[in-house]
């Protein structure tokens, strides 16, 4: 057991170094969320109060931006895994005592760390914006957004592992972009999904897919409405489990 933990830690350390050497990690994991927070806050300030539009207010915007930023972690994971496959790095590692679960954990752990750091930075900037815009934030909510978003973190990492195992470095990023677009469009990040007809096809699709549930859970946590979170994380967990299962099968067949 101790040797296995050492192997996973060593492999995760190598993957972490690969991530921090990639300039895209700083652009999308650090810079992009901050730009989104600033840009959407400026947009919100230009909306007249009588419009009653609160989706870009910082207490609702910050959780959405955080979940949106998590979707880019899928891209980093897919690039890392597909790059290792194209260079036969994983094939050479397969003669080692490492098991399939060790590889999955080794790839996932540094990305989880990056997701937590991304969340801390997003919440810290949100507090500063809230001070300038006089929007009250729940202290408990600030500390619970990241834990509530753990299923979403695992979901997007699972997608990255799956795409990285199935496709090459040229094909994996476009597929990740499709999922990022779907998460943005169907997650209610930039639009009020509650205004859509509840019995319509669009609402049904949003309710089945995990993206809306991830955003709603993060927003309710941010507001401190913990009793209203309900089954949102459970839906995301089911999807995350299915995606991770598929990723495990892909690692077994393609590597």
């Amino acid at each position: 057991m101790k040797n296995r933990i050492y192997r996973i830690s060593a492999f995760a350390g190598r993957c972490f170094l690969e991530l921090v050497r990639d300039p895209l990690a700083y652009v999308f994991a650090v810079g992009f969320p901050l730009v989104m927070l600033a840009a959407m806050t400026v947009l919100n300030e230009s909306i007249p109060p009588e419009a009653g539009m609160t989706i870009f207010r910082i207490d609702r915007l910050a959780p959405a931006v955080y979940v949106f930023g998590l979707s880019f972690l899928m891209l980093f994971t897919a690039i890392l895994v597909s790059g290792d496959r194209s260079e036969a790095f994983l094939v050479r590692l397969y003669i080692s005592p490492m098991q399939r679960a060790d590889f999955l954990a080794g790839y996932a752990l540094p990305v989880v760390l990056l997701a937590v750091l991304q969340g801390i930075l997003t919440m810290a900037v949100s507090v500063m914006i809230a001070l300038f815009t006089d929007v009250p934030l729940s202290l408990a909510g600030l500390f619970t957004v990241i834990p509530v978003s753990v299923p979403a973190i695992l979901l997007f990492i699972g997608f990255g592992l799956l795409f990285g195992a199935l496709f090459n470095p040229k094909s994996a990023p476009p597929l990740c972009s499709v999922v990022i677009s779907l998460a943005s469009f169907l997650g209610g990040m930039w639009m009020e999904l509650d205004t859509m007809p509840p019995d319509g096809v669009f609402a049904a699709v949003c309710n089945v897919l995990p993206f809306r549930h991830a955003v709603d859970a993060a927003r309710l946590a941010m507001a401190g409405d913990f009793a209203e979170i309900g089954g949102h994380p459970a839906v995301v967990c089911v999807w995350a489990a299915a995606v991770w299962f598929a990723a495990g099968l892909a690692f077994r067949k393609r590597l």
Side-chain angles (χ1 to χ4, degrees):
M1 184 63 180
K2 185 181 295 185
N3 290 336
R4 187 175 187 182
I5 294 175
Y6 174 78
R7 292 195 299 266
I8 294 175
S9 301
F11 185 62
R14 173 262 172 190
C15 293
F16 179 77
L17 291 177
E18 290 294 324
L19 285 174
V20 298
R21 289 170 182 162
D22 188 353
L24 288 177
Y26 301 97
V27 173
F28 289 106
V30 179
F32 188 73
L34 301 186
V35 171
M36 290 291 292
L37 284 173
M40 294 300 182
T41 298
V42 172
L43 176 62
N44 184 67
E45 292 299 308
S46 65
I47 299 175
E50 54 269 20
M53 189 174 181
T54 61
I55 196 168
F56 297 135
R57 198 175 60 196
I58 191 61
D59 57 333
R60 303 196 65 209
L61 175 66
V65 169
Y66 178 49
V67 175
F68 186 56
L70 293 178
S71 65
F72 287 100
L73 301 181
M74 166 183 55
L75 177 63
F76 306 146
T77 308
I79 291 175
L80 180 59
V81 176
S82 60
D84 287 346
R85 284 182 55 242
S86 66
E87 298 171 358
F89 175 74
L90 286 180
V91 175
R92 294 194 298 270
L93 278 184
Y94 259 50
I95 65 173
S96 72
M98 290 185 66
Q99 302 176 13
R100 178 180 47 175
D102 300 340
F103 288 105
L104 293 174
Y107 279 120
L109 286 174
V111 187
V112 170
L113 176 60
L114 186 60
V116 172
L117 294 175
Q118 186 184 65
I120 294 173
L121 181 61
T122 302
M123 295 304 109
V125 174
S126 299
V127 170
M128 291 187 287
I129 293 177
L131 293 175
F132 283 106
T133 56
D134 293 325
V135 176
L137 295 180
S138 167
L139 182 61
L142 288 169
F143 284 99
T144 54
V145 170
I146 298 175
V148 166
S149 299
V150 168
I153 294 172
L154 297 177
L155 172 71
F156 288 116
I157 293 175
F159 272 122
L161 293 170
L162 177 62
F163 293 152
L166 291 178
F167 304 101
N168 60 46
K170 292 184 178 180
S171 301
L175 289 170
C176 292
S177 298
V178 172
V179 177
I180 292 171
S181 299
L182 288 174
S184 176
F185 183 63
L186 301 176
M189 298 175 183
W190 325 122
M191 66 179 75
E192 293 283 5
L193 293 181
D194 291 337
T195 61
M196 303 291 177
D199 55 349
V201 175
F202 185 79
V205 172
C206 292
N207 289 331
V208 170
L209 295 177
F211 310 118
R212 176 182 187 173
H213 297 282
V215 175
D216 286 349
R219 279 179 170 155
L220 290 169
M222 185 75 160
D225 295 332
F226 306 116
E228 300 296 325
I229 293 177
H232 291 304
V235 175
V236 185
C237 282
V238 170
W239 273 91
V243 172
W244 271 78
F245 180 76
L249 291 179
F251 265 69
R252 180 177 181 180
K253 291 183 178 297
R254 297 298 298 267
L255 300 177

